[in-house]
Amino acid sequence: MAPSQKYKAVIFDVGGVVVGSPLQGIYAYEAQKGLPRDWINNAITCGGHNGAWQRYERGEIGLWYFYDAFGKDLSRAEENNAHYVKYCEKRGLPVPALPARVEIDGRELFGMMMRASTKKNPWIWQAIQRLKETGRYTIAALTNNFQYPAISPEPTSTPAAAGDAAAPAGDKVRAELQFLGFGEGTQTDRVKHVFDHFIESSVEGMRKPDPKFFLRACEITGVQPSEVVFLDDLGLNLKAAQELGMTTIRVHLGQNRKAVQELEKILGIELLWRFRGHHL
């Protein structure tokens, strides 16, 4: 296998690629509520630029304000049903029975999503380690993520973030991080150290699929889009990267090894040699 000389950087999404997918938490919540598959994810996407999810990923609102706004966004049954019908029609899918009324608990849903995305993906993790060993590539993460509240000893009158009335005491924050599955550290805490650059939506104030966020990643890593291989689990993000000239790989849920094998072919190097003949 001859290494390709074309690429200088490999950029990974985090949730759904480097670690588990929050979609698993969404699907479990949909099942609990009797909602059609992808109803919630579609409603989140259709929130647009000013949706609670999008604002939280850009670091514009705080956690407790987000919980309330997130639940309200997703509880608009009529509006979200209309978007879901369009989603089904575009894909040639039959429209299932839709809810006349729905109440989404933003905190409970978000907790299920975060707890589903705490474990590292062993196939991707192995690939990253091998890429670093070669010394040929800049390895970066480009993630739509969140800034969680800091642990402070006492409540203060200073807002923790836009929309939150006050920074809560350390015990409350510690308990909330535990609820989200972050008792041993957030996703960022657990994986950040392995990357040359860790580029966060909540820090940069922009998010995928905004082309400016991808160009910012290129600026930080010192490469051109055509010199990048980008891995993500969402088609919308991959399409934006492709339009800029990046080579992309979609990491489908449960098909992480296949994505790494595709990366091997593109780069011309073996990444899973330690796992040959093994099943994780």
Side-chain angles (χ1 to χ4, degrees), residues 136-268:
R136 293 192 183 101
Y137 309 99
T138 297
I139 310 302
L142 184 66
T143 177
N144 287 353
N145 71 349
F146 319 97
Q147 291 296 307
Y148 296 100
I151 296 176
S152 56
E154 300 293 340
T156 72
S157 58
T158 303
D164 281 346
D171 287 347
K172 180 178 179 181
V173 173
R174 198 172 287 110
E176 198 62 22
L177 293 177
Q178 189 73 39
F179 167 76
L180 295 173
F182 299 151
E184 297 179 4
T186 66
Q187 294 172 345
T188 299
D189 297 331
R190 295 173 182 180
V191 305
K192 188 173 185 177
H193 66 279
V194 79
F195 293 98
D196 298 314
H197 303 282
F198 199 86
I199 307 159
E200 307 171 71
S201 66
S202 60
V203 172
E204 298 295 333
M206 57 185 86
R207 62 186 292 279
K208 296 173 292 185
D210 185 344
K212 290 182 289 186
F213 195 31
F214 290 99
L215 293 175
R216 175 63 176 150
C218 290
E219 179 185 357
I220 290 171
T221 54
V223 299
Q224 296 298 315
S226 60
E227 298 171 324
V228 172
V229 181
F230 173 63
L231 295 88
D232 201 292
D233 60 328
L234 298 181
L236 193 66
N237 296 338
L238 295 166
K239 181 181 178 182
Q242 289 169 358
E243 289 175 351
L244 292 172
M246 294 183 181
T247 298
T248 64
I249 298 172
R250 184 162 188 173
V251 184
H252 292 278
L253 189 63
Q255 298 183 30
N256 304 294
R257 181 174 186 171
K258 184 177 179 181
V260 175
Q261 290 170 334
E262 189 174 345
L263 181 60
E264 286 182 315
K265 292 177 182 178
I266 290 170
L267 297 180

Side-chain angles (χ1 to χ4, degrees), residues 41-91:
N41 192 43
N42 186 65
I44 291 172
T45 301
C46 292
H49 185 78
N50 292 317
W53 180 268
Q54 289 81 355
R55 294 175 65 201
Y56 191 37
E57 285 190 330
R58 293 194 300 267
E60 296 172 1
I61 57 176
L63 179 62
W64 279 271
Y65 181 87
F66 163 73
Y67 284 156
D68 182 62
F70 189 44
K72 288 178 179 176
D73 279 358
L74 300 183
S75 297
R76 299 187 179 105
E78 183 177 354
E79 181 180 334
N80 291 328
N81 282 343
H83 287 303
Y84 191 74
V85 169
K86 292 179 181 178
Y87 165 83
C88 291
E89 291 175 345
K90 184 177 180 180
R91 288 159 179 78

